[in-house]
Amino acid sequence: MLRYLNQCSLGRTAWLLLAFTAFALEMVALWFQHVMGLKPCVMCIYERCALFGVMGAGLVGAIAPKSPLRYGALAIWLYSAGKGVQLAWDHTMLQLHPSPFVTCDFFARFPGWLPLDKWLPQVFVASGDCSVRQWEFLSLDMVQWLLGIFAVLLVIAVLVLIAQFLKPKRRDLFGR
């Protein structure tokens, strides 16, 4: 399996699939927000940013998958998926154990050089409460689904990282 992941990481298709998956999840989030009328909280906005990081990793990896740029894409993927797991875990704990002393911010805090909430307010402005569970499917909240999605993305990223250190199997005429 690791050899297969190594082979996949050397082609554009797997990287584009990663980017498309993250893009599809972003579109679902925007559908929930703008069509279903669910209000994203600050933690939701940060989780969106982590998904955009995964999408960016897929696009960077697709640019030149056989070059060392692949390792940069893998680093972005690992960081974004790991941060997504952390954010979704903290958000889940806020929902499962609400407390008046532990709340999320009212506004997302982006760096001054990257004011995403000013550039794309339809995507990056928070208007909901982090402790409110707005949507459920199969008895899991949206944030719990995101926790599982980020965990799967992180496990796959770790496996792809491990696969980078495998030497390709040489096959000769006699099968040795």
Side-chain angles (χ1 to χ4, degrees):
M1 176 183 79
L2 290 176
R3 291 191 197 285
Y4 176 72
L5 289 174
N6 189 353
Q7 288 295 329
C8 287
S9 72
L10 294 173
R12 284 189 170 86
T13 305
W15 290 105
L16 289 174
L17 179 63
L18 176 67
F20 177 75
T21 302
F23 177 75
L25 289 168
E26 291 290 349
M27 291 300 103
V28 168
L30 290 173
W31 185 76
F32 278 129
Q33 178 181 354
H34 295 292
V35 176
M36 291 182 62
L38 303 181
K39 296 179 179 181
C41 66
V42 171
M43 296 293 283
C44 296
I45 299 300
Y46 292 152
E47 289 155 4
R48 276 186 193 176
C49 291
L51 266 177
F52 274 115
V54 171
M55 184 170 53
L59 294 174
V60 168
I63 291 172
K66 293 182 181 173
S67 76
L69 189 60
R70 175 177 83 244
Y71 298 110
L74 194 52
I76 296 168
W77 183 8
L78 285 163
Y79 176 77
S80 297
K83 196 67 171 169
V85 166
Q86 176 196 4
L87 288 165
W89 175 261
D90 292 343
H91 194 175
T92 300
M93 290 300 108
L94 276 173
Q95 287 184 344
L96 294 178
H97 309 289
S99 167
F101 305 108
V102 180
T103 61
C104 62
D105 296 335
F106 293 112
F107 304 102
R109 287 182 271 141
F110 293 108
W113 55 271
L114 190 67
L116 294 174
D117 54 340
K118 307 278 188 284
W119 293 346
L120 281 171
Q122 301 86 352
V123 178
F124 295 107
V125 169
S127 58
D129 182 8
C130 292
S131 62
V132 175
R133 297 176 71 160
Q134 299 183 53
W135 179 85
E136 248 182 47
F137 180 66
L138 298 176
S139 76
L140 292 177
D141 187 87
M142 187 182 309
V143 181
Q144 293 166 336
W145 281 103
L146 261 181
L147 179 60
I149 289 167
F150 278 123
V152 167
L153 287 170
L154 183 60
V155 166
I156 294 171
V158 168
L159 290 174
V160 171
L161 177 66
I162 293 169
Q164 299 307 302
F165 299 106
L166 291 179
K167 294 187 185 226
K169 193 174 187 178
R170 246 185 64 204
R171 295 184 183 206
D172 58 6
L173 183 61
F174 302 106
R176 288 189 263 166

